[in-house]
Amino acid sequence: MHNMTATVAFTPERLEKVKEIIGRYPEGKQKSALLPVLHLAQEQHGWVSSETMDYVAELLNIQPVEVYEVATFYTMFHLEPVGKHVIEYCRTGPCCTMGGEEVYAHLRERLGIETGETTADGKFTIKEVECLAACGWGPCFQIREKYYMHLTNQKVDEIIDELSK
Amino acid sequence: MAESIKILTEHFHQEGIEKLDVYKKHGGYAGLEKALKTMSPEQVVEEVKTSGVRGRGGAGFPMGMKWGFLAKPEGVPRYLVCNGDESEPGTFKDHYLMMKCPHLLIEGMIISSFALGANTSFIYVRGELMYVINILEKAIAEAKAAGYLGKNILGTGFDLELVVQPGGGAYICGEETALLESLEGKRGNPRNKPPFPAVKGLYQCPTVVNNVESIATTPWIMLNGGEAYSKIGIGRSTGTKLISASGHVKNPGVYEIELGLPVEEFIYSDQYLGGIREGHDLKAVVAGGSSVPILPKHLILKTAAGEPRLMSYESLSEGGFASGTMLGSGGFIAMDETTCIVRNTWNFARFYRHESCGQCSPCREGTGWMEKVLYRLEHGKGNERDIDLLVDVAKKIEGNTICPLGDAAAWPVASAIRHFREEFEWHVRHPELAIAPGAVFNKETEAVLN
Ligand SMILES: Cc1cc2nc3c(=O)[nH]c(=O)nc-3n(C[C@H](O)[C@H](O)[C@H](O)COP(=O)(O)O)c2cc1C
Ligand code: SF4
Ligand code: FES
């Protein structure tokens, strides 16, 4: 158990950040820090394991189940290991209107994987997401904080080439 | 309309406008100085009431009136929460505003918090926009260093802390009570109303929730007065509105328009969307985000009575649901004749099924059902009865749920069938021409079907 905690523990900088985040809310309302802290956890580990959730519960002094129910509700949290680059592809109407489905087919073909899968070399995972609030700049996908917009087949190839280096 | 008035975006093209000194050089924080130094909170509320500005998040409720409802029990903190969840398909204006000019929102938040007597205020931004959250946090640090935030702002005795809160990926958290739940670190399940947030909101304290664009109008209103604002626009649709345009137009993007602009001018003038892409013709428009009824070309350009349709709350809803729609959040999606309405409706239905929080059965079951039937039709496996079944399911969801997501899911389906029924029938009569089952966009829906 102790070893587990050691592997999911935050870096000292992130622990500082957690303290700062908790301080943003009124006394006793530290549960409000849950979403920002889960984002920090995912930033560090790439995904959110149940050990990580237990650790977050301990940090915020709440029950583990309170973390599980939240982490499973919000789609941004990866509850299983993912590839190095998670491509979150917008599948919603306006992007499709702008050619999103064709470009998505090309992306899957290029990587040789389907939605939810990870490439054999562990570099890429593709997920489908709903509207990313970039509809007029679509088709689009997101990798971590970065938005990739006005996608075409050629642009997808360039992005994948660049990230494969 | 001749020169278009820019209230929000006038200085957006200035290099470095995201920085405090550049923003100030172009008149930034002057509205705040005026409000905090020369006005009382009540006077600020009055100016906003006079302006007639209506909430820009979708429902169009008058902002000053909402502020007037805020309960003020002795010794209980009050909160202002800004709604930057922006997840309604077709809508990307708040994203644009916050990314381009974070100080405009921050200035508006300080003015609005002052008016409402809030000393801690939140900006809830969808978690996908982490880069925008970073931009906002940087700007907040600048504002704090300049004495616009923190203790005793500008020596007026007013204290304010501004917190940016990330969401986690859930459309439903744009609904104001779900947003409050989310901000408390819970699942985004909408609350039963009453009590309304104005009485019991964040941490069970009186709370106002307003959209990003709504809040961003306050610096201009402070500086120029509510009266001046009320003279812009048309009738009860005062002021300007950010419209995010997508789809088959020449120039998609975010536009600030004066309310009352004719839809035809908005679509075809080079100043705005520049018309439909080369060689194609407009077929249908979703004027206010995916939740509002879709209209065919002839009904978006003109009302059923033959009047030119205007970009205003009243004109767009003229004719009710029989022949009208809504301004909603201003997500304007234009589709040309290559668009399959059945496919688009299925796509939206899938969205609502995916985003339903699952609390009430008409929404949870109904959205899944509509998606399934639409998928069947789109893939050449439907029958004539399916079309009426869809109408029936949509009717049973409408008005029978805790929050308006149920209605939002039902309207696109009901309106698509109302205006494009023959296209649904065509899919039934020509199953062999409907899209090949091999061309499924994803596996998830097939799983739903089986
Ligand atoms: C399902 C659903 C999603 C919503 N999403 C948003 C949103 O992303 N942004 C927003 O400002 N309002 C959204 N709203 C409306 C809010 O509930 C609320 O009316 C609004 O934030 C109030 O601000 P306003 O009066 O300034 O428009 C949504 C409503 C529903 C039912
Ligand atoms: S209408 Fe849908 S989203 Fe709203 S509370 Fe009910 S189940 Fe949840
Ligand atoms: S539909 Fe893709 S970003 Fe909105």
Side-chain angles (χ1 to χ4, degrees):
Chain A
M1 220 36 216
H2 267 267
N3 272 342
M4 281 292 196
T5 312
T7 56
V8 298
F10 277 146
T11 57
E13 301 78 50
R14 286 203 179 81
L15 270 179
E16 262 318 294
K17 182 89 185 158
V18 170
K19 250 202 235 148
E20 184 263 308
I21 292 173
I22 292 174
R24 296 171 179 179
Y25 314 100
E27 195 67 35
K29 304 295 181 195
Q30 80 282 359
K31 189 173 169 181
S32 280
L34 185 46
L35 283 176
V37 171
L38 281 173
H39 281 298
L40 276 184
Q42 182 152 298
E43 184 188 275
Q44 179 165 330
H45 304 295
W47 66 295
V48 180
S49 63
S50 54
E51 290 80 17
T52 301
M53 291 190 236
D54 293 345
Y55 173 72
V56 167
E58 215 176 284
L59 280 182
L60 297 184
N61 195 19
I62 57 179
Q63 294 301 316
V65 64
E66 296 179 88
V67 183
Y68 305 156
E69 62 178 16
V70 163
T72 52
F73 182 85
Y74 296 92
T75 55
M76 284 184 75
F77 301 113
H78 310 310
L79 303 179
E80 277 168 27
V82 285
K84 183 167 171 224
H85 305 289
V86 184
I87 300 177
E88 303 191 86
Y89 196 94
C90 173
R91 69 177 188 188
T92 315
C95 269
C96 295
T97 299
M98 301 180 90
E101 299 187 39
E102 291 76 8
V103 174
Y104 189 51
H106 177 76
L107 172 68
R108 285 174 297 166
E109 197 179 320
R110 166 72 206 254
L111 293 176
I113 53 173
E114 281 303 320
T115 302
E117 295 176 353
T118 301
T119 51
D121 62 4
K123 278 222 169 106
F124 297 96
T125 300
I126 345 185
K127 289 199 170 186
E128 284 175 37
V129 293
E130 300 291 358
C131 180
L132 289 169
C135 327
W137 308 311
C140 66
F141 64 61
Q142 164 166 47
I143 301 178
R144 288 214 173 198
E145 291 179 17
K146 195 164 161 49
Y147 271 60
Y148 294 82
M149 301 184 273
H150 302 292
L151 294 174
T152 58
N153 290 356
Q154 194 198 336
K155 208 157 161 192
V156 162
D157 285 338
E158 286 164 15
I159 295 164
I160 300 298
D161 286 343
E162 185 58 38
L163 293 175
S164 301
K165 275 183 197 156
Chain B
M1 226 159 269
E3 268 303 285
S4 57
I5 297 176
K6 301 259 184 287
I7 283 175
L8 301 168
T9 60
E10 189 183 353
H11 303 294
F12 276 27
H13 61 282
Q14 299 290 348
E15 175 86 27
I17 193 71
E18 73 283 357
K19 297 199 194 81
L20 186 119
D21 54 339
V22 180
Y23 179 67
K24 273 190 79 168
K25 209 167 85 200
H26 294 283
Y29 288 103
L32 175 142
E33 300 239 3
K34 183 173 170 193
L36 266 62
K37 287 185 174 160
T38 71
M39 296 164 74
S40 68
E42 293 73 24
Q43 283 172 320
V44 175
V45 175
E46 268 322 299
E47 285 304 324
V48 171
K49 276 188 184 160
T50 307
S51 75
V53 63
R54 291 161 70 173
R56 304 303 193 210
F61 192 81
M63 181 152 82
M65 201 189 287
K66 183 188 271 187
W67 287 11
F69 290 151
L70 185 66
K72 293 182 177 158
E74 205 51 47
V76 180
R78 303 190 278 275
Y79 293 103
L80 169 64
V81 178
C82 174
N83 190 343
D85 191 56
E86 194 164 70
S87 308
E88 169 94 358
T91 315
F92 51 104
K93 63 178 180 88
D94 298 334
H95 175 181
Y96 177 76
L97 189 155
M98 293 187 284
M99 159 189 82
K100 275 279 181 192
C101 195
H103 283 290
L104 178 63
L105 176 60
I106 292 165
E107 184 183 357
M109 284 299 285
I110 302 168
I111 294 168
S112 308
S113 303
F114 172 71
L116 300 168
N119 301 111
T120 306
S121 295
F122 296 88
I123 306 175
Y124 183 101
V125 181
R126 59 179 300 168
E128 292 88 343
L129 290 178
M130 208 52 93
Y131 86 95
V132 174
I133 289 173
N134 293 336
I135 291 173
L136 282 168
E137 285 187 335
K138 226 162 130 186
I140 286 173
E142 272 188 307
K144 201 162 185 173
Y148 293 126
L149 281 169
K151 291 249 175 276
N152 192 19
I153 297 168
L154 303 177
T156 59
F158 174 60
D159 305 335
L160 177 66
E161 292 299 331
L162 204 47
V163 177
V164 187
Q165 179 84 355
Y171 166 64
I172 191 56
C173 291
E175 193 281 332
E176 56 183 12
T177 61
L179 187 151
L180 296 175
E181 288 287 298
S182 179
L183 193 41
E184 292 180 4
K186 301 182 213 150
R187 296 165 76 99
N189 290 335
R191 299 174 181 170
N192 270 306
K193 293 195 247 187
F196 288 91
V199 179
K200 284 196 162 132
L202 184 62
Y203 310 130
Q204 294 298 309
C205 297
T207 302
V208 163
V209 181
N210 270 129
N211 174 257
V212 169
E213 186 189 347
S214 313
I215 300 276
T217 60
T218 56
W220 194 96
I221 294 173
M222 291 306 111
L223 213 49
N224 302 278
E227 182 79 25
Y229 189 92
S230 73
K231 293 201 173 112
I232 303 164
I234 184 166
R236 294 202 306 118
S237 296
T238 63
T240 64
K241 175 88 188 80
L242 294 180
I243 306 291
S244 49
S246 60
H248 297 135
V249 292
K250 287 211 181 107
N251 315 316
V254 179
Y255 294 85
E256 181 172 7
I257 60 151
E258 180 170 357
L259 286 164
L261 178 76
V263 174
E264 184 152 11
E265 185 177 341
F266 181 60
I267 297 175
Y268 292 101
S269 144
D270 283 338
Q271 197 187 340
Y272 300 104
L273 307 187
I276 305 306
R277 61 178 175 165
E278 214 51 58
H280 294 277
D281 190 15
L282 181 64
K283 174 176 179 178
V285 166
V286 174
S290 60
S291 306
V292 311
I294 187 171
L295 287 182
K297 178 182 178 182
H298 68 278
L299 283 176
I300 188 69
L301 296 181
K302 286 195 164 60
T303 66
E307 296 290 323
R309 188 83 78 179
L310 311 178
M311 298 289 284
S312 74
Y313 292 96
E314 292 73 23
S315 179
L316 282 169
S317 58
E318 176 97 27
F321 276 8
S323 62
T325 181
M326 293 189 287
L327 179 62
S329 59
F332 195 95
I333 312 162
M335 294 169 236
D336 71 18
E337 82 290 347
T338 64
T339 310
C340 172
I341 298 295
V342 179
R343 190 169 186 78
N344 192 67
T345 309
W346 160 62
N347 186 298
F348 282 166
R350 178 178 62 183
F351 171 83
Y352 290 104
R353 188 267 302 155
H354 186 259
E355 301 300 327
S356 165
C357 85
Q359 267 193 119
C360 9
S361 35
C363 171
R364 183 186 60 240
E365 303 301 322
T367 52
W369 209 359
M370 291 195 300
E371 181 197 0
K372 229 186 262 192
V373 174
L374 282 159
Y375 179 90
R376 219 151 63 199
L377 284 164
E378 166 66 0
H379 291 76
K381 294 176 184 157
N383 61 51
E384 201 79 38
R385 284 193 317 275
D386 281 341
I387 303 171
D388 291 323
L389 178 63
L390 281 173
V391 175
D392 191 50
V393 174
K395 234 184 238 151
K396 288 200 168 105
I397 300 174
E398 210 183 325
N400 292 320
T401 56
I402 294 178
C403 92
L405 184 137
D407 297 344
W411 294 339
V413 176
S415 60
I417 296 175
R418 189 178 309 122
H419 299 297
F420 296 96
R421 190 176 180 108
E422 68 286 2
E423 210 165 306
F424 289 80
E425 289 166 351
W426 185 91
H427 276 72
V428 174
R429 281 199 305 274
H430 302 283
E432 74 289 359
L433 295 179
I435 194 153
V440 207
F441 190 29
N442 85 341
K443 297 273 175 230
E444 188 187 345
T445 317
E446 281 209 309
V448 172
L449 198 64
N450 293 329

